[in-house]
Amino acid sequence: MRFRIYRYDPEKDAKPRLQEYDIALDPHDRMLLDALIRLKATDDSLAFRRSCREGVCGSDAMNINGKNGLACITNLKNLKEPVDLRPLPGLPVIRDLIVDMSQFFKQYHSVRPYLVNDTPPPERERLQSPAAREQLDGLYECILCACCSTACPSFWWNPDKFVGPAGLLQAYRFIADSRDHDVNQRLDNLEDPYRLFRCHTIMNCVDVCPKNLNPTLAIEKIKDLMVKRTV
Amino acid sequence: MTVPVRQFDAVIVGAGGAGMRAAIELAEAGLSVAVLSKVFPTRSHTVAAQGGIGASLGNMSDDNWLWHMYDTIKGSDWLGDQDAIEYMCRMAPQVVYELEHFGMPFDRNADGTIYQRPFGGHSANFGERPVQRACAAADRTGHALLHTLYQRNVRERTQFFVEWMALDLVRDAEGAVLGVVAMEMETGDVYVLQAKATIFATGGAGRIFAASTNAFINTGDGLGMTARAGLPLEDMEFWQFHPTGVAGAGVLITEGVRGEGGILLNCNGERFMERYAPNLKDLASRDIVSRSMDQEIKEGRGCGPHKDYVLLKLDHLGPDVIMKRLPSIREIAIKFANADPIKEPIPVVPTIHYMMGGIPTNIHGQVVAPRHGDPGVVVEGLYAVGECACVSVHGANRLGTNSLLDLLVFGRAAGDFIVSRNLAALAHKALPPDAGDASLARLARLDAATSGERVADVGNELRRTMQSHCGVFRNEALLAEGVAKVMELEDRVARSAIDDKSRTFNTARVEALELDNLIEVAKATIVSALARHESRGAQARSDYPNRDDVHWLKHTLWYREGNRLDYKPVHLTPLSVESFPPKARTY
């Protein structure tokens, strides 16, 4: 199978280049990651992240034929050749398919992604109704792969100011949690021309999310709450 | 050559569940802590755990930590240490409640309590009937747990060293551990991270086998470092085969599927577990279900064109239960097996999943090694928690859901114990003059090697060898041949080479360094397995089909030097309750 892969090693390359490969696949090779591992066994200089190989750790996000996705759950059968592989767009490239995700995680951390509830905890669990717990479905499953934020033009333009879809999805995950007591501060933290309101509902995030989550919907819900508390 | 030194009160190697649970205690106490991880913390392999956390909350029906303790001891085939097991099962409700208070999104019952599902080997009243003990967040419990612990660490401002790999331990002449040598992957820079407490939480090593549910990062780094430092590894012959890995792909399908009512079928459509375990059937412990599946396949009752797998049927649960309780399983089955479990069964085979053995510790997480006839002498400054440790709560076979519990209980215990030692008031001990030299030599060899076998080829050969010589059923001839092959592979590992000489994010170099750890784990495993002349838990010897408590109710200790084996007694005396003496194990 034919591949065209973005290569860049700052120690050797003045600028990035595209390298073509023909990979002889094994009949058991099912996913794009299988092909990359087969390739790496012959050219060990190709650098990419990977770990769980089942779509739950979020390591192997990359730009595959122009669309962000996880290599480990992208079936080779569905890919047009030559398969064009590039690093996630909009983030600095460290080497080959490995990007520097500091900015992405900085935005995630900026939403205070942890439960805030300063009442003394009971001896047992805090109770939560099944209906209240359901509010977290579609939110807590995020794997922080960054496919969404690096597909978002608003994030490309303002990665330092716009929280981005992944961070906002997690902001809403805590706003929506009946056990969290910090909704107002969480909204204050996003009330800013950039942090939340740079989302222009382009919905690339929804289109690429490998876990089928919907950051745009979460963002809309945060905006609704903002409006509700001002009236 | 000198290596730059950075000093901390504590260094934690590994940011999975155990490392991050320990980190919370240390960070809350205001210690200076460095948590190293080869991957961003939420990418650690804890993320792949699915089914649940065992704790006798009693939310669904009566439950009791003593019943949980009994199930764990029986599951361990009496090789587990009963003091450690009592400690874990008694602590279980508390650590689960704490996790809930941290924000863990558990599924809920109508009364608002945490939802618990049935799981393999979990019973009420000492084996009488199944009990719902597995606290679950759909089939993403590990993911939810790992993210919750990371989030709590963000709150505590824990200092993470992301994409750093620890290479070797630093020990002084007295044997005290003074930290680790570590490499920053992005730059290739090497440092000594000096610490008054070094905590290994490096997880499992399932990548010594060809077919494994484990992530690529599970290369036994803590075990390799421990073995190279001259310390023993315990009970390494005991590796759990999870009954339900997707055939061909190895990806895990949680036991929670059977907990929710899924069943295993052979090619005749027979629910064969009724024959092997009349009481708990498909929810017998994992070693028994895996062996039964292998037996069915061996006797020609496997499914598919090659009759080499069995089927996991769950369509009878209905789409609502599958979508609510097992949504990720459905995704995995569709992606990796072309089967939508709402309509059709999933082809599954027993797949390497979990390492019961590891670095020997006591219940405070302190690493112990025999000295002057005492098997429990503490190695000053070194701790191990989670899958890399052998405390030993899992003995010869781990009960499902006890791995996540182990992480929480012993991560917390080690953290608390270290806090109690008031490290901030202690001075750093002097580093030995050769600190870092061994690691630099390993890196220099890789830099200098211009020809040699490829790391990937040697690694694949090691995995194939372990798979065919150290699988579900073992015997003397197979194991002895395997030992010879693995020893030969050790020489090939030492001569293997990489083409990539870059310092920037050199993943080839990382894989070569990992192979140094894999080979230690493989040797420990197969040498220990060859020596143990009995069948117990996950070690099934066709030439020694019975458990032999007279000769083998003891823990194995393997030393790297000379492949030496030693043994130490099992702790049969719990902390406060009566001992559970060994008896015949039926489900």
Side-chain angles (χ1 to χ4, degrees), chain B residues 462-498:
Chain B
L462 176 66
R463 284 181 268 277
R464 278 195 296 272
T465 304
M466 289 302 290
Q467 192 78 27
S468 48
H469 289 274
C470 210
V472 175
F473 286 101
R474 304 167 175 181
N475 65 54
E476 193 81 9
L478 200 64
L479 286 165
E481 202 184 322
V483 168
K485 285 187 181 172
V486 169
M487 295 314 294
E488 187 193 305
L489 277 158
E490 184 182 30
D491 293 334
R492 288 164 62 184
V493 169
R495 294 194 308 267
S496 62
I498 51 176

mmCIF file of all heavy atoms in Angstrom, chain B residues 462-498:
data_model
loop_
_atom_site.group_PDB
_atom_site.id
_atom_site.type_symbol
_atom_site.label_atom_id
_atom_site.label_comp_id
_atom_site.label_asym_id
_atom_site.label_seq_id
_atom_site.Cartn_x
_atom_site.Cartn_y
_atom_site.Cartn_z
ATOM 1 N N LEU B 462 11.152 -12.599 20.389
ATOM 2 C CA LEU B 462 10.963 -12.835 21.834
ATOM 3 C C LEU B 462 9.481 -13.065 22.131
ATOM 4 O O LEU B 462 9.107 -13.996 22.850
ATOM 5 C CB LEU B 462 11.485 -11.634 22.632
ATOM 6 C CG LEU B 462 11.278 -11.702 24.153
ATOM 7 C CD1 LEU B 462 12.088 -12.833 24.766
ATOM 8 C CD2 LEU B 462 11.658 -10.377 24.813
ATOM 9 N N ARG B 463 8.629 -12.232 21.544
ATOM 10 C CA ARG B 463 7.184 -12.342 21.788
ATOM 11 C C ARG B 463 6.627 -13.659 21.248
ATOM 12 O O ARG B 463 5.816 -14.313 21.907
ATOM 13 C CB ARG B 463 6.455 -11.158 21.153
ATOM 14 C CG ARG B 463 6.605 -9.872 21.955
ATOM 15 C CD ARG B 463 5.842 -8.719 21.324
ATOM 16 N NE ARG B 463 6.689 -7.967 20.408
ATOM 17 C CZ ARG B 463 7.537 -7.014 20.805
ATOM 18 N NH1 ARG B 463 7.643 -6.703 22.067
ATOM 19 N NH2 ARG B 463 8.280 -6.385 19.927
ATOM 20 N N ARG B 464 7.103 -14.059 20.074
ATOM 21 C CA ARG B 464 6.644 -15.343 19.523
ATOM 22 C C ARG B 464 7.098 -16.496 20.405
ATOM 23 O O ARG B 464 6.347 -17.445 20.636
ATOM 24 C CB ARG B 464 7.189 -15.521 18.095
ATOM 25 C CG ARG B 464 6.373 -14.797 17.031
ATOM 26 C CD ARG B 464 6.739 -15.310 15.634
ATOM 27 N NE ARG B 464 8.127 -15.017 15.296
ATOM 28 C CZ ARG B 464 8.542 -13.878 14.709
ATOM 29 N NH1 ARG B 464 7.655 -12.948 14.394
ATOM 30 N NH2 ARG B 464 9.813 -13.692 14.450
ATOM 31 N N THR B 465 8.343 -16.427 20.872
ATOM 32 C CA THR B 465 8.885 -17.504 21.710
ATOM 33 C C THR B 465 8.084 -17.635 23.000
ATOM 34 O O THR B 465 7.701 -18.741 23.402
ATOM 35 C CB THR B 465 10.364 -17.216 22.047
ATOM 36 O OG1 THR B 465 11.067 -17.056 20.817
ATOM 37 C CG2 THR B 465 10.980 -18.336 22.857
ATOM 38 N N MET B 466 7.828 -16.528 23.642
ATOM 39 C CA MET B 466 7.066 -16.582 24.901
ATOM 40 C C MET B 466 5.652 -17.099 24.653
ATOM 41 O O MET B 466 5.116 -17.863 25.445
ATOM 42 C CB MET B 466 7.013 -15.199 25.546
ATOM 43 C CG MET B 466 8.333 -14.727 26.113
ATOM 44 S SD MET B 466 9.039 -15.830 27.371
ATOM 45 C CE MET B 466 7.888 -15.574 28.732
ATOM 46 N N GLN B 467 5.070 -16.686 23.543
ATOM 47 C CA GLN B 467 3.708 -17.109 23.223
ATOM 48 C C GLN B 467 3.643 -18.627 23.043
ATOM 49 O O GLN B 467 2.749 -19.282 23.557
ATOM 50 C CB GLN B 467 3.235 -16.409 21.939
ATOM 51 C CG GLN B 467 1.753 -16.550 21.658
ATOM 52 C CD GLN B 467 0.915 -15.616 22.513
ATOM 53 O OE1 GLN B 467 1.362 -14.557 22.941
ATOM 54 N NE2 GLN B 467 -0.309 -16.023 22.808
ATOM 55 N N SER B 468 4.622 -19.182 22.321
ATOM 56 C CA SER B 468 4.506 -20.613 22.031
ATOM 57 C C SER B 468 5.101 -21.495 23.123
ATOM 58 O O SER B 468 4.746 -22.658 23.221
ATOM 59 C CB SER B 468 5.107 -20.948 20.659
ATOM 60 O OG SER B 468 6.371 -20.369 20.533
ATOM 61 N N HIS B 469 5.970 -20.946 23.970
ATOM 62 C CA HIS B 469 6.584 -21.798 24.999
ATOM 63 C C HIS B 469 6.074 -21.539 26.407
ATOM 64 O O HIS B 469 6.413 -22.259 27.335
ATOM 65 C CB HIS B 469 8.110 -21.639 24.975
ATOM 66 C CG HIS B 469 8.744 -22.257 23.774
ATOM 67 N ND1 HIS B 469 9.109 -23.584 23.719
ATOM 68 C CD2 HIS B 469 9.035 -21.743 22.554
ATOM 69 C CE1 HIS B 469 9.620 -23.850 22.530
ATOM 70 N NE2 HIS B 469 9.576 -22.751 21.795
ATOM 71 N N CYS B 470 5.280 -20.504 26.584
ATOM 72 C CA CYS B 470 4.868 -20.149 27.955
ATOM 73 C C CYS B 470 3.400 -19.729 27.974
ATOM 74 O O CYS B 470 3.034 -18.746 28.606
ATOM 75 C CB CYS B 470 5.778 -19.033 28.476
ATOM 76 S SG CYS B 470 6.021 -19.074 30.246
ATOM 77 N N GLY B 471 2.550 -20.493 27.278
ATOM 78 C CA GLY B 471 1.149 -20.125 27.089
ATOM 79 C C GLY B 471 0.228 -20.682 28.158
ATOM 80 O O GLY B 471 0.638 -20.918 29.301
ATOM 81 N N VAL B 472 -1.036 -20.927 27.774
ATOM 82 C CA VAL B 472 -2.047 -21.381 28.735
ATOM 83 C C VAL B 472 -1.635 -22.716 29.351
ATOM 84 O O VAL B 472 -1.661 -22.888 30.568
ATOM 85 C CB VAL B 472 -3.433 -21.516 28.061
ATOM 86 C CG1 VAL B 472 -4.446 -22.108 29.025
ATOM 87 C CG2 VAL B 472 -3.937 -20.161 27.579
ATOM 88 N N PHE B 473 -1.279 -23.696 28.510
ATOM 89 C CA PHE B 473 -0.828 -24.992 29.013
ATOM 90 C C PHE B 473 0.679 -25.128 28.822
ATOM 91 O O PHE B 473 1.194 -24.864 27.745
ATOM 92 C CB PHE B 473 -1.545 -26.140 28.300
ATOM 93 C CG PHE B 473 -2.969 -26.300 28.741
ATOM 94 C CD1 PHE B 473 -4.006 -25.816 27.963
ATOM 95 C CD2 PHE B 473 -3.263 -26.921 29.952
ATOM 96 C CE1 PHE B 473 -5.325 -25.943 28.375
ATOM 97 C CE2 PHE B 473 -4.588 -27.060 30.368
ATOM 98 C CZ PHE B 473 -5.623 -26.573 29.578
ATOM 99 N N ARG B 474 1.372 -25.524 29.884
ATOM 100 C CA ARG B 474 2.831 -25.598 29.866
ATOM 101 C C ARG B 474 3.291 -27.002 30.245
ATOM 102 O O ARG B 474 2.582 -27.722 30.939
ATOM 103 C CB ARG B 474 3.397 -24.592 30.889
ATOM 104 C CG ARG B 474 2.912 -23.174 30.637
ATOM 105 C CD ARG B 474 3.196 -22.240 31.801
ATOM 106 N NE ARG B 474 2.810 -20.868 31.442
ATOM 107 C CZ ARG B 474 2.958 -19.815 32.233
ATOM 108 N NH1 ARG B 474 3.477 -19.960 33.441
ATOM 109 N NH2 ARG B 474 2.593 -18.610 31.834
ATOM 110 N N ASN B 475 4.479 -27.393 29.771
ATOM 111 C CA ASN B 475 5.091 -28.631 30.254
ATOM 112 C C ASN B 475 6.610 -28.494 30.216
ATOM 113 O O ASN B 475 7.144 -27.536 29.651
ATOM 114 C CB ASN B 475 4.613 -29.850 29.453
ATOM 115 C CG ASN B 475 5.070 -29.794 28.004
ATOM 116 O OD1 ASN B 475 6.264 -29.649 27.709
ATOM 117 N ND2 ASN B 475 4.118 -29.879 27.081
ATOM 118 N N GLU B 476 7.278 -29.470 30.829
ATOM 119 C CA GLU B 476 8.720 -29.403 31.048
ATOM 120 C C GLU B 476 9.496 -29.189 29.740
ATOM 121 O O GLU B 476 10.336 -28.298 29.641
ATOM 122 C CB GLU B 476 9.184 -30.700 31.736
ATOM 123 C CG GLU B 476 10.592 -30.651 32.300
ATOM 124 C CD GLU B 476 10.648 -29.947 33.658
ATOM 125 O OE1 GLU B 476 9.578 -29.647 34.230
ATOM 126 O OE2 GLU B 476 11.760 -29.673 34.122
ATOM 127 N N ALA B 477 9.175 -30.026 28.727
ATOM 128 C CA ALA B 477 9.957 -29.963 27.491
ATOM 129 C C ALA B 477 9.778 -28.609 26.800
ATOM 130 O O ALA B 477 10.748 -27.969 26.372
ATOM 131 C CB ALA B 477 9.539 -31.100 26.561
ATOM 132 N N LEU B 478 8.515 -28.174 26.741
ATOM 133 C CA LEU B 478 8.204 -26.910 26.083
ATOM 134 C C LEU B 478 8.896 -25.742 26.789
ATOM 135 O O LEU B 478 9.487 -24.860 26.154
ATOM 136 C CB LEU B 478 6.683 -26.728 26.116
ATOM 137 C CG LEU B 478 6.040 -25.762 25.142
ATOM 138 C CD1 LEU B 478 6.250 -26.234 23.712
ATOM 139 C CD2 LEU B 478 4.540 -25.659 25.419
ATOM 140 N N LEU B 479 8.827 -25.747 28.099
ATOM 141 C CA LEU B 479 9.413 -24.653 28.874
ATOM 142 C C LEU B 479 10.943 -24.678 28.796
ATOM 143 O O LEU B 479 11.582 -23.632 28.648
ATOM 144 C CB LEU B 479 8.969 -24.737 30.337
ATOM 145 C CG LEU B 479 7.516 -24.327 30.614
ATOM 146 C CD1 LEU B 479 7.077 -24.791 31.998
ATOM 147 C CD2 LEU B 479 7.329 -22.822 30.485
ATOM 148 N N ALA B 480 11.525 -25.880 28.882
ATOM 149 C CA ALA B 480 12.993 -25.975 28.863
ATOM 150 C C ALA B 480 13.524 -25.464 27.526
ATOM 151 O O ALA B 480 14.511 -24.713 27.460
ATOM 152 C CB ALA B 480 13.426 -27.420 29.099
ATOM 153 N N GLU B 481 12.850 -25.853 26.452
ATOM 154 C CA GLU B 481 13.244 -25.356 25.130
ATOM 155 C C GLU B 481 13.068 -23.832 25.071
ATOM 156 O O GLU B 481 13.909 -23.114 24.513
ATOM 157 C CB GLU B 481 12.349 -26.027 24.087
ATOM 158 C CG GLU B 481 12.907 -26.048 22.690
ATOM 159 C CD GLU B 481 11.887 -26.661 21.712
ATOM 160 O OE1 GLU B 481 11.188 -27.626 22.103
ATOM 161 O OE2 GLU B 481 11.780 -26.145 20.584
ATOM 162 N N GLY B 482 11.988 -23.354 25.669
ATOM 163 C CA GLY B 482 11.733 -21.912 25.711
ATOM 164 C C GLY B 482 12.819 -21.175 26.472
ATOM 165 O O GLY B 482 13.269 -20.102 26.046
ATOM 166 N N VAL B 483 13.247 -21.714 27.596
ATOM 167 C CA VAL B 483 14.304 -21.067 28.379
ATOM 168 C C VAL B 483 15.564 -20.936 27.525
ATOM 169 O O VAL B 483 16.191 -19.865 27.467
ATOM 170 C CB VAL B 483 14.604 -21.850 29.679
ATOM 171 C CG1 VAL B 483 15.889 -21.341 30.331
ATOM 172 C CG2 VAL B 483 13.436 -21.734 30.652
ATOM 173 N N ALA B 484 15.921 -22.025 26.835
ATOM 174 C CA ALA B 484 17.130 -21.986 25.997
ATOM 175 C C ALA B 484 17.003 -20.897 24.929
ATOM 176 O O ALA B 484 17.947 -20.136 24.679
ATOM 177 C CB ALA B 484 17.358 -23.350 25.354
ATOM 178 N N LYS B 485 15.828 -20.820 24.317
ATOM 179 C CA LYS B 485 15.631 -19.810 23.270
ATOM 180 C C LYS B 485 15.689 -18.399 23.838
ATOM 181 O O LYS B 485 16.257 -17.483 23.223
ATOM 182 C CB LYS B 485 14.271 -20.014 22.586
ATOM 183 C CG LYS B 485 14.235 -21.206 21.636
ATOM 184 C CD LYS B 485 12.911 -21.224 20.890
ATOM 185 C CE LYS B 485 12.841 -22.422 19.955
ATOM 186 N NZ LYS B 485 11.503 -22.576 19.367
ATOM 187 N N VAL B 486 15.087 -18.202 24.999
ATOM 188 C CA VAL B 486 15.078 -16.855 25.584
ATOM 189 C C VAL B 486 16.497 -16.446 25.988
ATOM 190 O O VAL B 486 16.897 -15.292 25.803
ATOM 191 C CB VAL B 486 14.098 -16.782 26.785
ATOM 192 C CG1 VAL B 486 14.278 -15.483 27.566
ATOM 193 C CG2 VAL B 486 12.657 -16.898 26.299
ATOM 194 N N MET B 487 17.284 -17.406 26.502
ATOM 195 C CA MET B 487 18.664 -17.066 26.874
ATOM 196 C C MET B 487 19.485 -16.690 25.640
ATOM 197 O O MET B 487 20.337 -15.805 25.688
ATOM 198 C CB MET B 487 19.331 -18.219 27.634
ATOM 199 C CG MET B 487 18.697 -18.535 28.984
ATOM 200 S SD MET B 487 18.340 -17.076 30.014
ATOM 201 C CE MET B 487 20.000 -16.493 30.345
ATOM 202 N N GLU B 488 19.189 -17.376 24.536
ATOM 203 C CA GLU B 488 19.880 -17.033 23.296
ATOM 204 C C GLU B 488 19.432 -15.638 22.816
ATOM 205 O O GLU B 488 20.240 -14.835 22.333
ATOM 206 C CB GLU B 488 19.523 -18.103 22.256
ATOM 207 C CG GLU B 488 20.275 -18.022 20.965
ATOM 208 C CD GLU B 488 19.606 -18.931 19.928
ATOM 209 O OE1 GLU B 488 19.446 -20.140 20.228
ATOM 210 O OE2 GLU B 488 19.218 -18.427 18.864
ATOM 211 N N LEU B 489 18.145 -15.372 23.001
ATOM 212 C CA LEU B 489 17.636 -14.049 22.618
ATOM 213 C C LEU B 489 18.264 -12.944 23.466
ATOM 214 O O LEU B 489 18.441 -11.811 22.996
ATOM 215 C CB LEU B 489 16.104 -14.008 22.750
ATOM 216 C CG LEU B 489 15.365 -14.576 21.546
ATOM 217 C CD1 LEU B 489 13.948 -15.007 21.914
ATOM 218 C CD2 LEU B 489 15.303 -13.512 20.427
ATOM 219 N N GLU B 490 18.618 -13.266 24.697
ATOM 220 C CA GLU B 490 19.258 -12.252 25.541
ATOM 221 C C GLU B 490 20.539 -11.740 24.882
ATOM 222 O O GLU B 490 20.820 -10.536 24.884
ATOM 223 C CB GLU B 490 19.568 -12.831 26.916
ATOM 224 C CG GLU B 490 20.143 -11.771 27.856
ATOM 225 C CD GLU B 490 20.513 -12.314 29.219
ATOM 226 O OE1 GLU B 490 20.876 -13.511 29.310
ATOM 227 O OE2 GLU B 490 20.452 -11.543 30.176
ATOM 228 N N ASP B 491 21.319 -12.666 24.306
ATOM 229 C CA ASP B 491 22.546 -12.251 23.608
ATOM 230 C C ASP B 491 22.207 -11.391 22.397
ATOM 231 O O ASP B 491 22.899 -10.420 22.082
ATOM 232 C CB ASP B 491 23.342 -13.470 23.142
ATOM 233 C CG ASP B 491 23.886 -14.266 24.318
ATOM 234 O OD1 ASP B 491 24.072 -13.655 25.380
ATOM 235 O OD2 ASP B 491 24.086 -15.487 24.160
ATOM 236 N N ARG B 492 21.131 -11.780 21.708
ATOM 237 C CA ARG B 492 20.756 -11.008 20.513
ATOM 238 C C ARG B 492 20.258 -9.611 20.891
ATOM 239 O O ARG B 492 20.491 -8.649 20.152
ATOM 240 C CB ARG B 492 19.703 -11.770 19.712
ATOM 241 C CG ARG B 492 20.333 -12.994 19.007
ATOM 242 C CD ARG B 492 19.300 -13.984 18.526
ATOM 243 N NE ARG B 492 18.386 -13.417 17.538
ATOM 244 C CZ ARG B 492 17.345 -14.088 17.036
ATOM 245 N NH1 ARG B 492 17.109 -15.345 17.423
ATOM 246 N NH2 ARG B 492 16.555 -13.512 16.156
ATOM 247 N N VAL B 493 19.569 -9.515 22.025
ATOM 248 C CA VAL B 493 19.142 -8.196 22.496
ATOM 249 C C VAL B 493 20.367 -7.319 22.725
ATOM 250 O O VAL B 493 20.411 -6.145 22.322
ATOM 251 C CB VAL B 493 18.315 -8.311 23.804
ATOM 252 C CG1 VAL B 493 18.100 -6.932 24.441
ATOM 253 C CG2 VAL B 493 16.982 -8.987 23.538
ATOM 254 N N ALA B 494 21.387 -7.908 23.343
ATOM 255 C CA ALA B 494 22.594 -7.131 23.680
ATOM 256 C C ALA B 494 23.341 -6.669 22.429
ATOM 257 O O ALA B 494 24.132 -5.732 22.491
ATOM 258 C CB ALA B 494 23.504 -7.964 24.562
ATOM 259 N N ARG B 495 23.088 -7.337 21.298
ATOM 260 C CA ARG B 495 23.776 -6.961 20.053
ATOM 261 C C ARG B 495 22.860 -6.238 19.066
ATOM 262 O O ARG B 495 23.276 -5.908 17.956
ATOM 263 C CB ARG B 495 24.344 -8.215 19.364
ATOM 264 C CG ARG B 495 25.458 -8.917 20.144
ATOM 265 C CD ARG B 495 26.190 -9.933 19.255
ATOM 266 N NE ARG B 495 25.274 -10.856 18.595
ATOM 267 C CZ ARG B 495 24.929 -12.051 19.096
ATOM 268 N NH1 ARG B 495 25.427 -12.470 20.233
ATOM 269 N NH2 ARG B 495 24.092 -12.837 18.442
ATOM 270 N N SER B 496 21.597 -6.002 19.449
ATOM 271 C CA SER B 496 20.660 -5.393 18.500
ATOM 272 C C SER B 496 21.020 -3.925 18.276
ATOM 273 O O SER B 496 21.727 -3.321 19.073
ATOM 274 C CB SER B 496 19.229 -5.515 19.022
ATOM 275 O OG SER B 496 19.104 -4.829 20.241
ATOM 276 N N ALA B 497 20.529 -3.393 17.166
ATOM 277 C CA ALA B 497 20.945 -2.035 16.802
ATOM 278 C C ALA B 497 19.772 -1.247 16.223
ATOM 279 O O ALA B 497 18.762 -1.814 15.790
ATOM 280 C CB ALA B 497 22.069 -2.100 15.781
ATOM 281 N N ILE B 498 19.933 0.077 16.235
ATOM 282 C CA ILE B 498 18.951 0.956 15.591
ATOM 283 C C ILE B 498 19.673 1.860 14.594
ATOM 284 O O ILE B 498 20.845 2.193 14.781
ATOM 285 C CB ILE B 498 18.196 1.814 16.633
ATOM 286 C CG1 ILE B 498 19.177 2.542 17.570
ATOM 287 C CG2 ILE B 498 17.245 0.963 17.446
ATOM 288 C CD1 ILE B 498 18.508 3.485 18.552
#
